[in-house]
Amino acid sequence: GQQLNQSPQSMFIQEGEDVSMNCTSSSIFNTWLWYKQEPGEGPVLLIALYKAGELTSNGRLTAQFGITRKDSFLNISASIPSDVGIYFCAGHDSGAGSYQLTFGKGTKLSVIP
Amino acid sequence: TAGITQAPTSQILAAGRSMTLRCTQDMRHNAMYWYRQDLGLGLRLIHYSNTAGTTGKGEVPDGYSVSRANTDDFPLTLASAVPSQTSVYFCASSSQGSTDTQYFGPGTRLTVL
């Protein structure tokens, strides 16, 4: 089945630093999604990408859909303490004929004030 | 609007007992999903429903059953709970299947002893 490798697994950064995380897939996806999960809550959608090469921003967050359609990255600029959480990538292959998303295992972000 | 609600918030259950986790959405989304989240394994799909009256198996369906009698509700039943079903369970919904974004509920923390 499809697999997503998300890295890094965890990060400790100083407040104000930029953050970068990425996901790579063993197969092609038509949609890439990035979610953030805070403790005790469900994942919340941050950015959705629908076209290869697409670069989309949401405030201090920027995500890109890789040209090969097998990877995506998420950047967070000028991190702040409320950026703490687990970030998940997810991909969908509409050609597979299902509605299922494949999720990465998450990147746990800790921000040191 | 409430979005997606899940009940109960948490539960401790004796092994061998049955339990139904409830999920209700008020967004009139066609598709609904049940995931379990375990440390180091990320989010894994248990069952899904593309529309009322239909259901499908996800990555880890064994020991779980679902029904979709109407658009709003998607209960998950454990017929005879086992300790390996200790997890945090998330319900999600989307309006056009996975090519659209999935919105998650707050989760149910289940402990099976």
Side-chain angles (χ1 to χ4, degrees):
Chain A
Q2 295 168 332
Q3 295 183 2
L4 278 184
N5 294 311
Q6 186 171 350
S7 64
Q9 288 186 342
S10 63
M11 305 178 71
F12 287 84
I13 63 168
Q14 204 75 33
E15 181 178 359
E17 290 183 348
D18 297 342
V19 174
S20 184
M21 60 191 78
N22 69 85
C23 275
T24 57
S25 169
S26 58
S27 56
I28 290 173
F29 286 125
N30 303 110
T31 302
W32 281 96
L33 305 168
W34 284 93
Y35 287 85
K36 178 188 178 185
Q37 185 180 24
E38 298 187 8
E41 299 183 7
V44 174
L45 183 72
L46 298 173
I47 293 178
L49 303 159
Y50 299 106
K51 290 174 58 177
E54 180 180 355
L55 184 71
T56 298
S57 294
N58 178 6
R60 293 178 295 105
L61 278 61
T62 301
Q64 184 158 29
F65 191 141
I67 291 292
T68 65
R69 295 161 64 195
K70 291 185 177 183
D71 63 322
S72 177
F73 73 75
L74 175 70
N75 287 341
I76 305 173
S77 63
S79 61
I80 58 178
S82 62
D83 289 334
V84 166
I86 302 176
Y87 292 79
F88 292 97
C89 63
H92 176 249
D93 176 14
S94 60
S98 79
Y99 286 177
Q100 298 179 30
L101 290 177
T102 301
F103 281 86
K105 290 182 169 52
T107 295
K108 185 176 183 179
L109 178 63
S110 300
V111 179
I112 304 167
Chain B
T1 60
I4 299 183
T5 57
Q6 291 185 237
T9 301
S10 65
Q11 181 74 46
I12 299 175
L13 188 67
R17 300 294 295 269
S18 66
M19 176 165 187
T20 295
L21 280 61
R22 300 184 298 279
C23 175
T24 300
Q25 53 104 358
D26 62 3
M27 298 176 283
R28 307 302 294 173
H29 283 172
N30 304 103
M32 297 186 74
Y33 315 83
W34 273 106
Y35 294 89
R36 59 178 291 173
Q37 186 175 35
D38 304 288
L39 192 64
L41 296 176
L43 289 157
R44 294 183 293 169
L45 184 66
I46 304 170
H47 285 286
Y48 66 94
S49 169
N50 291 338
T51 189
T54 69
T55 63
K57 294 182 179 180
E59 180 184 356
V60 288
D62 294 343
Y64 306 95
S65 64
V66 292
S67 62
R68 188 87 184 278
N70 57 62
T71 297
D72 298 343
D73 301 300
F74 191 42
L76 176 73
T77 298
L78 288 67
S80 180
V82 295
S84 62
Q85 292 178 309
T86 294
S87 187
V88 181
Y89 291 85
F90 289 100
C91 180
S93 71
S94 67
S95 61
Q96 292 179 25
S98 286
T99 53
D100 206 343
T101 58
Q102 290 188 17
Y103 297 88
F104 284 80
T108 293
R109 181 176 294 276
L110 179 66
T111 302
V112 182
L113 301 176

